Amino acid sequence: MRAATRILLSVITSLWTLTAAAQTVKIGLINTYSGPLASNGEQIQKAIDLFMKLNESKLPQGVKLEFIKRDDTGINPETAKRLATELVVREKVQLITGVVWTPNAAAIAPVVTEAKVPFVIMNAGTAFLTTLSPYIARTSFTLWQSSYPMGDWAAKKYKSAYIAVADFGPGHDAQEAFTKSFKAGGGTIVGAVRMPPPTTDFAPYLQRVKDAKPEALFVFVPAGKNATALMKGFGELGLAQAGIKLIGPGDITTDEELPNMGDVPLGVVTMFHYSAAGERPANKTFVAEYKKAYGPNAWPNFISVGAWDAMQAILDAVIQQKGKLDPDKTMAILKGWKNPNSPRGPISIDPETRDIVQNEYVREVRKVDGVLANVELETIKAVKDPWKEITGKK
Ligand code: PHB
């Protein structure tokens, strides 16, 4: 081969490699794959896998998404920060997503700000998170979105309530939001307790509640196995028999765990943005696809939907930029991103706050076709994060 030809060939090869590399979008996925709280991470991963299976063909020709997965093993902010730093510095990811836990998302925020890497939060729900970086957008929820209208609703039914929450960001938000609206509606908070988030022994806390004899008990604990442990404790101590109504955000009647909770949750009323039992056609399709992929007894939950909608937003940003992601352009696309047809109903990202706007549903656990389901009874439309509405924080 002549020297000139060889040079030309090598130029073509490196150009080709360059173009191919530019078309692979590297996404850092920080998620909980191990430890006692891993069932929540599993919901995220299954939703991403299903989304990719059904939508990968919509990517522009030659464009690929490459997920670089990292395990934060649970509520571990230091680990999350180290993983995010490695993803940015070593792996040169163009976007970070995942993240079940508020403390982890808060620890990642300064890293993405410094590196100018968009961070799409798939779950973590403490209100202030989006204010920590202009590179954060959230597709999940805030605890204020559920617990504030829950307090309103509860004040019309009950005169007194006791509050029990997991002692970290989302629990603190749930407590503050519920207290504010329940009191404003004329209700009295007769007691409040904060429980360490990894605990599964709720008996000592629930005994105090039983002794205080409130009309209602408002609870937030993390969804997944923790919610099932809470429900077991509530059943065993006979709080329902003592006339205490259990209420809360939908985390405590998380759809995928309902089959493991016995009959204890029957009649429990929660406020939430997603129910697997939702009658929307987009939800029917989503649940059917989920069951086709993971088996007839598998249920998606709100965490699956947070991840599913995040993937749609990311896909749209990738398509609009033909696979060449610019961080500020990506954020501009995410601000004001809309999906009128999410499994949870119409959603959008508020351009002012980069936080999700969505319906909240009053739901009651009932038996539908022999299995427990969060049946939607009322809809509160297009709820913005009330904490930001009240405080004006952005
Ligand atoms: C959070 O850490 O923000 C979080 C975790 C689990 C939930 C809700 C919020 O169910």
Side-chain angles (χ1 to χ4, degrees):
M1 208 188 301
R2 280 182 27 219
T5 319
R6 220 178 303 132
I7 291 166
L8 187 65
L9 269 181
S10 94
V11 169
I12 290 171
T13 314
S14 41
L15 268 179
W16 184 82
T17 320
L18 259 180
T19 327
Q23 303 294 79
T24 297
V25 180
K26 289 182 97 177
I27 299 176
L29 173 56
I30 300 177
N31 195 11
T32 305
Y33 292 106
S34 61
L37 305 168
S39 69
N40 294 320
E42 191 184 323
Q43 292 288 333
I44 287 190
Q45 190 59 51
K46 283 186 166 162
I48 296 175
D49 291 343
L50 182 61
F51 184 89
M52 289 305 289
K53 197 173 103 192
L54 300 178
N55 295 285
E56 195 165 20
S57 62
K58 296 177 187 149
L59 283 164
Q61 219 187 355
V63 176
K64 259 183 43 195
L65 302 190
E66 182 191 350
F67 291 92
I68 302 169
K69 295 184 207 167
R70 294 290 182 264
D71 182 7
D72 61 25
T73 73
I75 305 176
N76 291 313
E78 290 81 15
T79 307
K81 183 167 192 171
R82 175 173 54 76
L83 296 175
T85 308
E86 280 171 18
L87 285 168
V88 164
V89 174
R90 209 178 302 153
E91 301 292 344
K92 310 230 176 330
V93 297
Q94 288 143 290
L95 194 137
I96 287 183
T97 192
V99 189
V100 176
W101 309 104
T102 285
N104 300 13
I108 294 167
V111 179
V112 299
T113 306
E114 169 82 22
K116 293 192 175 22
V117 170
F119 173 23
V120 181
I121 297 179
M122 286 179 165
N123 187 67
T126 304
F128 81 106
L129 285 175
T130 45
T131 69
L132 298 180
S133 172
Y135 288 95
I136 290 180
R138 169 158 54 195
T139 58
S140 50
F141 56 88
T142 73
L143 266 303
W144 272 84
Q145 274 178 326
S146 51
S147 303
Y148 192 65
M150 185 79 236
D152 240 11
W153 181 90
K156 293 182 191 115
K157 296 239 168 201
Y158 312 116
K159 290 191 185 66
S160 64
Y162 200 105
I163 299 177
V165 294
D167 191 5
F168 73 129
H172 301 170
D173 269 15
Q175 178 177 1
E176 197 187 334
F178 180 82
T179 303
K180 194 170 171 64
S181 52
F182 188 67
K183 277 188 173 172
T188 307
I189 306 290
V190 293
V193 64
R194 291 181 170 184
M195 312 171 286
T199 195
T200 49
D201 178 15
F202 294 104
Y205 309 102
L206 294 174
Q207 186 58 49
R208 266 194 249 172
V209 176
K210 197 175 173 186
D211 296 342
K213 299 188 171 57
E215 282 183 45
L217 167 62
F218 172 87
V219 176
F220 166 80
V221 295
K225 298 292 173 198
N226 212 240
T228 306
L230 178 273
M231 214 47 90
K232 195 164 159 267
F234 188 87
E236 281 171 2
L237 272 161
L239 270 75
Q241 289 79 351
I244 301 169
K245 294 282 184 199
L246 180 60
I247 55 175
D251 307 71
I252 63 169
T253 58
T254 179
D255 296 306
E256 84 291 6
E257 282 291 322
L258 283 179
N260 303 326
M261 291 180 177
D263 278 346
V264 183
L266 269 176
V268 170
V269 174
T270 54
M271 184 76 71
F272 224 28
H273 57 283
Y274 177 72
S275 163
E279 294 287 346
R280 292 164 291 284
N283 188 49
K284 293 268 180 211
T285 311
F286 177 62
V287 173
E289 289 291 354
Y290 197 90
K291 285 181 175 291
K292 206 163 99 191
Y294 303 117
N297 297 324
W299 289 97
N301 72 357
F302 67 102
I303 301 181
S304 329
V305 167
W308 176 266
D309 289 327
M311 284 311 305
Q312 186 64 60
I314 292 167
L315 178 70
D316 289 348
V318 169
I319 290 172
Q320 283 187 43
Q321 296 175 88
K322 301 190 177 58
K324 298 198 175 82
L325 260 57
D326 169 79
D328 294 310
K329 184 84 196 297
T330 300
M331 291 314 297
I333 294 168
L334 292 175
K335 286 180 203 174
W337 176 85
K338 285 185 176 60
N339 182 0
N341 215 13
S342 158
R344 60 180 123 167
I347 55 169
S348 64
I349 294 176
D350 182 352
E352 297 260 301
T353 63
R354 290 161 279 99
D355 219 338
I356 188 86
V357 183
Q358 59 193 338
N359 293 347
E360 289 291 328
Y361 305 98
V362 177
R363 310 108 39 88
E364 184 179 312
V365 179
R366 294 181 179 171
K367 239 175 207 164
V368 178
D369 300 331
V371 293
L372 297 191
N374 286 298
V375 177
E376 294 173 1
L377 304 177
E378 285 168 44
T379 304
I380 308 170
K381 285 196 175 147
V383 179
K384 287 188 177 188
D385 173 33
W387 180 77
K388 294 189 189 71
E389 297 279 280
I390 293 166
T391 61
K393 298 240 167 68
K394 282 184 186 151

